[in-house]
Amino acid sequence: MNDRLKIMEERYEEINSLLIQPEIVCDIKKLTELSKEQRSLEKVVMLYREQKKLLEAIPDLKEMKKSGDPELMEMAEMELAEGEERLAAIAEEIKVLLLPKDPNDDKNVIVEIRGAAGGDEANIFAGDLYRMYTRYSEAKGWKIELIDAMPSEAGGYSQIQFKITGDAIYSYMKYESGAHRVQRVPATESMGRIHTSTSTVLVMPEASEIDFKLDPNDLKIDTFCSSGPGGQSVNTTKSAVRVTHIPTGVAVASQVHKSQHENKAAAMQLLQARLYDMLLQEQESKTGAERKALIGRGDRSEKIRTYNYPQNRVTDHRIGFTINRLDAVIDGKLDLVVQELINEDQKRKLSEEGGKI
């Protein structure tokens, strides 16, 4: 482990030197790549350096304990205990940071939310989930860009797709894929009865050309006039774009932007992400047995979470976690749940890695 940490520290220093070189500063793509790599190394390198300092200080503290000066001995004993406690904590933190990393963790994501079972209430809840992810993104400093939306006349969306850009987004958002269930009294319910509805969430890592390259010959591109809820016309020019991937039959569309060019770019991003996600699912199915022990992405049919409004309760069924702070979670404080999922996932991975040693 120490050899690996030393190599990471050397690479971190190398990146620091590269980032001040004029040719790198002028190359935005390279600068971005190196800055991202630097951030990914920074935490473990800082812990490694703290660990080395503590290990260097311990022999001196042990000598001080033999000094014969009661005051000095007491201080040395206290600092030694604190140092050893901190060393143990650092060792655990480093173990987690050195766990095998999902290669998609640093990627931006494309999210699709659909109203599922429950009619209008499911669409309204889809809108609530979109608002939750918007607030969550704002708190994280991430940026949301709308790709396509089909508003529902009753409120919310029958479906909505959007992109989130920022740092290490997939590492947090990947736990959101699956069916989200809501239990509450709908605004249209005159008898005050609690209804159960579901909306589905699909989180896809943004695909680059390295991940998945589209062949223009495999694409069929159509344009049409964008429309609002119930077919209401929004404009009379053919600015909306639909792109179909002929080999798979996968079709996506975008109509939220004013220009055809912007809508085509958004649709292409969505299509590329969808096809890359299909490729990932194929790969994951081959290692399905290995993934059962870990917390992976749910498919659309897998119920992952329940939001119970009368009891202000959120339950994540994958890890059996319940918190009575639904109001905070739905307002964007999603880390109250996501951090529990990350912790449990890391715990299971550590157990799995320990079993291989």
Side-chain angles (χ1 to χ4, degrees):
M1 187 186 284
N2 277 338
D3 288 343
R4 188 175 168 191
L5 290 168
K6 188 177 179 183
I7 290 167
M8 292 173 82
E9 184 182 36
E10 287 170 357
R11 175 58 180 163
Y12 181 75
E13 284 303 318
E14 183 186 7
I15 292 170
N16 284 343
S17 299
L18 288 169
L19 286 173
I20 59 173
Q21 292 181 11
E23 61 270 27
I24 298 294
V25 173
C26 296
D27 186 338
I28 299 299
K29 188 179 178 184
K30 191 66 179 173
L31 185 69
T32 304
E33 286 173 0
L34 286 170
S35 297
K36 198 170 238 186
E37 187 183 353
Q38 182 197 46
R39 286 194 298 273
S40 73
L41 291 169
E42 190 166 30
K43 191 170 182 181
V44 72
V45 168
M46 293 303 111
L47 284 169
Y48 175 51
R49 287 177 176 175
E50 186 183 354
Q51 184 186 58
K52 286 194 294 183
K53 281 184 182 177
L54 285 168
L55 288 170
E56 287 169 7
I58 281 174
D60 292 337
L61 291 169
K62 285 181 175 177
E63 284 300 313
M64 284 170 65
K65 278 182 70 177
K66 302 173 188 174
S67 66
D69 183 328
E71 195 173 319
L72 204 59
M73 289 167 67
E74 185 183 352
M75 184 182 71
E77 190 169 347
M78 194 187 329
E79 287 187 18
L80 189 60
E82 287 174 359
E84 287 173 344
E85 187 180 339
R86 179 60 186 149
L87 275 172
I90 288 171
E92 288 304 311
E93 285 184 64
I94 287 174
K95 269 188 202 175
V96 169
L97 290 170
L98 294 183
L99 281 171
K101 198 175 178 185
D102 185 329
N104 292 307
D105 272 355
D106 288 332
K107 291 183 183 291
N108 298 325
V109 299
I110 290 176
V111 184
E112 179 181 279
I113 307 173
R114 289 176 181 262
D120 288 341
E121 175 64 7
N123 294 339
I124 291 167
F125 183 53
D128 293 339
L129 291 175
Y130 174 60
R131 177 179 171 273
M132 177 179 77
Y133 293 132
T134 300
R135 292 284 180 89
Y136 184 52
S137 298
E138 287 170 357
K140 290 279 190 186
W142 300 338
K143 182 184 174 185
I144 281 192
E145 178 188 332
L146 196 59
I147 292 175
D148 196 32
M150 293 180 65
S152 168
E153 288 183 344
Y157 302 91
S158 58
Q159 70 175 63
I160 183 167
Q161 291 117 352
F162 53 97
K163 178 181 173 182
I164 311 178
T165 55
D167 290 332
I169 297 174
Y170 189 72
S171 65
Y172 294 91
M173 287 294 295
K174 63 183 174 183
Y175 301 103
E176 295 305 297
S177 284
H180 294 241
R181 183 173 70 171
V182 62
Q183 295 173 327
R184 65 185 176 189
V185 179
T188 54
E189 171 56 58
S190 58
M191 303 295 289
R193 291 172 297 191
I194 294 172
H195 286 225
T196 298
S197 306
T198 57
S199 295
T200 59
V201 176
L202 176 62
V203 177
M204 300 169 283
E206 183 185 26
S208 65
E209 285 194 5
I210 297 169
D211 299 316
F212 193 96
K213 189 168 184 177
L214 286 172
D215 184 343
N217 296 318
D218 289 339
L219 305 177
K220 180 188 175 190
I221 300 173
D222 300 303
T223 58
F224 56 99
C225 295
S226 62
S227 61
Q232 177 188 352
S233 178
V234 171
N235 65 37
T236 54
T237 59
K238 291 188 175 182
S239 61
V241 175
R242 181 183 297 105
V243 184
T244 304
H245 186 247
I246 299 166
T248 60
V250 173
V252 299
S254 178
Q255 60 175 345
V256 296
H257 301 288
K258 290 181 180 179
S259 76
Q260 189 182 110
H261 175 75
E262 288 176 304
N263 281 322
K264 181 182 175 184
M268 292 290 281
Q269 276 190 328
L270 178 57
L271 178 63
Q272 198 169 28
R274 196 180 291 283
L275 293 173
Y276 180 49
D277 188 65
M278 287 171 63
L279 181 65
L280 289 177
Q281 287 183 46
E282 284 176 23
Q283 292 170 350
E284 287 169 359
S285 67
K286 293 173 186 175
T287 56
E290 183 183 333
R291 290 180 68 251
K292 278 180 183 175
L294 307 178
I295 303 163
R297 303 174 310 137
D299 59 35
R300 282 206 180 131
S301 63
E302 182 187 347
K303 182 184 71 180
I304 63 165
R305 197 175 296 150
T306 295
Y307 304 73
N308 184 295
Y309 276 73
Q311 296 178 23
N312 195 36
R313 186 183 74 225
V314 177
T315 298
D316 196 287
H317 303 289
R318 292 164 292 182
I319 58 172
F321 173 73
T322 295
I323 185 171
N324 290 95
R325 293 192 62 188
L326 183 150
D327 51 344
V329 171
I330 209 73
D331 196 42
K333 294 179 176 64
L334 190 56
D335 271 337
L336 290 168
V337 179
V338 170
Q339 198 55 55
E340 294 294 328
L341 287 158
I342 291 171
N343 293 344
E344 181 62 25
D345 204 16
Q346 288 174 346
K347 192 190 300 180
R348 294 183 191 184
K349 284 175 180 173
L350 281 168
S351 175
E352 190 180 69
E353 285 295 303
K356 291 176 183 177
I357 295 170

